[in-house]
Amino acid sequence: MTDPNTDSLVETIGASRGTDYFLMREQLSADETELMMKVRAFGDAEILPVAADYWERGDFPFELLPKLATLGIVGDTMEGYGITPMTAVGQGLVSYELGRIDGSVGTFLGVHVGLAMQSIYLLGSPEQRERWLPDMARLERIGAFALTEPEHGSDSVGLETTARRDGDGWVLRGRKRWPGNATWCDIIVVFARDESDGQVKAFVVEKDDPGYSASKIGGKVALRMVQNADIVLDDVRVGEDRRLQQCDSFADVSKVLMGTRNMVAWASTGHAVAAYEIALTYAQRRTQFGRPIARTQLIQSKLVEMLGDVTAMQLYCIRLGRLIDEGKLSDTMAALAKYFCSVRARHVCRLARDVLGGNGITLDFHVMRHLCDMEALVTYEGTAEMQSLIVGRDITGQSAFV
Ligand SMILES: Cc1cc2nc3c(=O)[nH]c(=O)nc-3n(C[C@H](O)[C@H](O)[C@H](O)COP(=O)(O)OP(=O)(O)OC[C@H]3O[C@@H](n4cnc5c(N)ncnc54)[C@H](O)[C@@H]3O)c2cc1C
């Protein structure tokens, strides 16, 4: 730190200013507001002080897990299995508040809950749910979700990992790329193509199963705390009891992915609001040419552009959550929300980074961390282009995928 104008900011910057220009909070129930404030307080007190350091080191903050487990935020809108119930808006607010503080912690939870637990909840039998979900809800067993392969990302529908029937069980063979948490988690939901009928099935692999190995993807400059892996499945044997009984085709996988697009929209909005609030605070404190930079038209123009985007995202998200709660959300609506919120949030983070000048690229002021993390959010759960193609097909009736 060399700038006396901004040194004092480092202590407080990143704490929420509660930006809510269109009074979104009036739309929340008392329970939802309480949940949001609980996650906000936890994020400000426990995650924000350590976020930049862990991000720089590329390590996962394991000591946060027991504390996260006590917050009652693990389980989305799932019911039973020791899960604290919440609305889809409540679930979204958890993603929003975690995104506002740190994308890696939010992504860890998104993978564990939205992908791994939801796969078991939506695609497993009642016995399989009982077997895994209660431990996962207590964060005593952590999950990962292995769909993407080195040669199949956007077209994961073409995945090549195979599942061969062998007596009472199955033999899994193939490679996966990118699954978060996969270097250290306990169970991994693996999607593989049944050699006999060509359909995609889901299997629960345990980290110590012979033939399973996961190596960390290094050199990553987004979501650096999340441990993404290259996975090798070298004739991994699992029993029929580890095949998720309700997954019969890729259409079943899509049911899981629809929910996570919703969470990415909320998380993106959290990143954007953080970047906007930091830029606003900075602009009011930073003096150049004898006046705060906030008193310049060009800076105000950027701040208003950011606020406009943030407000639009907030309105998208609250409506998205209510549509889920009313059972009216379509996959194309989720795709549009993911597209809009992730792309605009990246833009907001970039504008905020400009407002901070040189300090904008340091970890001390958090904005660059949010901008880097947004690069991953624009890509995962289906890239912006894929969401665009999904919505484009819906509104024109023409598929432009191939
Ligand atoms: C940080 C991170 C975490 C992740 N976590 C997980 C996880 O937990 N589990 C998991 O299974 N996967 C995970 N993924 C994988 C993620 O879902 C994929 O990266 C994503 O689907 C894109 O696939 P790809 O990277 O192979 O890019 P590609 O599919 O190769 O795409 C490259 C570019 O081509 C574009 N493109 C592709 N096809 C078309 C087309 N028809 N028309 C126009 N443009 C096209 C894409 O939009 C993109 O811009 C993660 C990825 C990241 C970066």
Side-chain angles (χ1 to χ4, degrees):
M1 282 302 108
T2 55
D3 181 357
N5 287 325
T6 49
D7 273 1
S8 61
L9 266 176
V10 177
E11 299 304 318
T12 54
I13 212 156
S16 179
R17 295 174 65 130
T19 298
D20 184 17
Y21 212 68
F22 271 29
L23 312 181
M24 177 184 84
R25 275 182 56 187
E26 289 187 1
Q27 306 284 313
L28 304 180
S29 70
D31 285 351
E32 288 164 346
T33 303
E34 189 186 337
L35 177 65
M36 180 172 80
M37 299 318 288
K38 182 169 64 173
V39 182
R40 179 172 297 178
F42 178 80
D44 284 343
E46 303 283 347
I47 307 175
L48 190 62
V50 300
D53 183 45
Y54 273 105
W55 196 94
E56 189 164 23
R57 287 191 278 123
D59 288 338
F60 185 78
F62 289 103
E63 78 270 14
L64 291 178
L65 290 183
K67 296 176 187 170
L68 275 172
T70 63
L71 283 182
I73 60 170
V74 181
D76 286 1
T77 54
M78 291 174 254
E79 289 174 7
Y81 313 101
I83 292 163
T84 309
M86 64 178 98
T87 62
V89 170
Q91 170 212 332
L93 289 165
V94 172
S95 300
Y96 174 81
E97 288 298 332
L98 291 178
R100 194 179 63 73
I101 295 291
D102 180 70
S104 295
V105 175
T107 297
F108 150 74
L109 203 64
V111 171
H112 173 69
V113 180
L115 291 172
M117 287 180 75
Q118 282 284 16
S119 293
I120 293 167
Y121 187 77
L122 293 172
L123 309 179
S125 66
E127 296 75 28
Q128 290 174 322
R129 294 177 187 174
E130 284 294 352
R131 180 171 168 190
W132 288 298
L133 291 179
D135 286 354
M136 294 177 85
R138 292 191 296 271
L139 292 183
E140 288 169 4
R141 240 202 273 211
I142 303 299
F145 175 93
L147 174 65
T148 307
E149 300 185 348
E151 305 303 329
H152 295 283
S154 299
D155 70 344
S156 54
V157 65
L159 63 85
E160 294 178 54
T161 296
T162 55
R164 177 167 51 82
R165 213 46 169 121
D166 184 40
D168 291 343
W170 298 83
V171 179
L172 307 178
R173 187 168 188 77
R175 288 185 301 150
K176 296 288 178 183
R177 181 163 169 80
W178 286 115
N181 310 341
T183 56
W184 58 275
C185 68
D186 304 288
I187 60 174
I188 306 94
V189 177
V190 171
F191 295 90
R193 192 172 301 284
D194 183 345
E195 283 185 351
S196 64
D197 65 6
Q199 296 297 336
V200 172
K201 311 259 163 90
F203 302 85
V204 175
V205 171
E206 297 189 356
K207 68 175 178 206
D208 297 326
D209 284 337
Y212 172 83
S213 61
S215 53
K216 178 177 170 174
I217 296 177
K220 188 164 59 86
V221 288
L223 300 175
R224 282 179 50 77
M225 294 181 212
V226 180
Q227 309 295 301
N228 294 94
D230 276 314
I231 291 176
V232 176
L233 299 148
D234 185 8
D235 287 345
V236 176
R237 291 176 182 276
V238 294
E240 169 65 8
D241 63 329
R242 296 238 228 120
R243 182 179 70 78
L244 294 180
Q245 299 293 308
Q246 311 291 331
C247 183
D248 298 316
S249 72
F250 195 82
D252 293 320
V253 185
S254 301
K255 293 177 194 162
V256 180
L257 296 177
M258 190 168 107
T260 53
R261 287 188 184 132
N262 164 50
M263 289 208 287
V264 179
W266 279 96
S268 300
T269 308
H271 283 276
V273 82
Y276 162 72
E277 290 179 346
I278 292 167
L280 178 58
T281 303
Y282 192 91
Q284 289 168 318
R285 302 260 193 103
R286 173 70 172 169
T287 299
Q288 290 291 289
F289 298 99
R291 58 180 178 170
I293 60 170
R295 205 189 300 158
T296 67
Q297 291 180 350
L298 288 175
I299 293 290
Q300 286 193 8
S301 169
K302 285 189 174 69
L303 292 170
V304 172
E305 186 177 349
M306 282 184 242
L307 177 62
D309 276 339
V310 162
T311 302
M313 284 179 234
Q314 289 175 331
L315 295 172
Y316 251 96
C317 285
I318 190 118
R319 183 68 187 139
L320 190 62
R322 293 288 177 240
L323 285 168
I324 295 174
D325 286 331
E326 292 164 16
K328 293 181 187 165
L329 187 80
S330 69
D331 58 347
T332 55
M333 288 170 172
L336 184 62
K338 198 270 178 183
Y339 169 81
F340 181 83
C341 292
S342 64
V343 170
R344 297 315 295 175
R346 177 168 64 178
H347 180 65
V348 168
C349 291
R350 183 164 295 160
L351 289 174
R353 172 263 167 280
D354 286 344
V355 170
L356 270 71
N359 285 331
I361 64 163
T362 68
L363 284 171
D364 288 332
F365 290 87
H366 306 294
V367 166
M368 197 65 189
R369 179 167 55 82
H370 284 292
L371 175 56
C372 290
D373 288 352
M374 273 313 307
E375 294 294 344
L377 271 70
V378 168
T379 295
Y380 70 35
E381 309 302 333
T383 64
E385 290 82 4
M386 288 302 110
Q387 311 305 333
S388 183
L389 288 171
I390 290 168
V391 180
R393 179 178 58 192
D394 186 48
I395 59 177
T396 66
Q398 305 285 338
S399 174
F401 280 83
V402 286

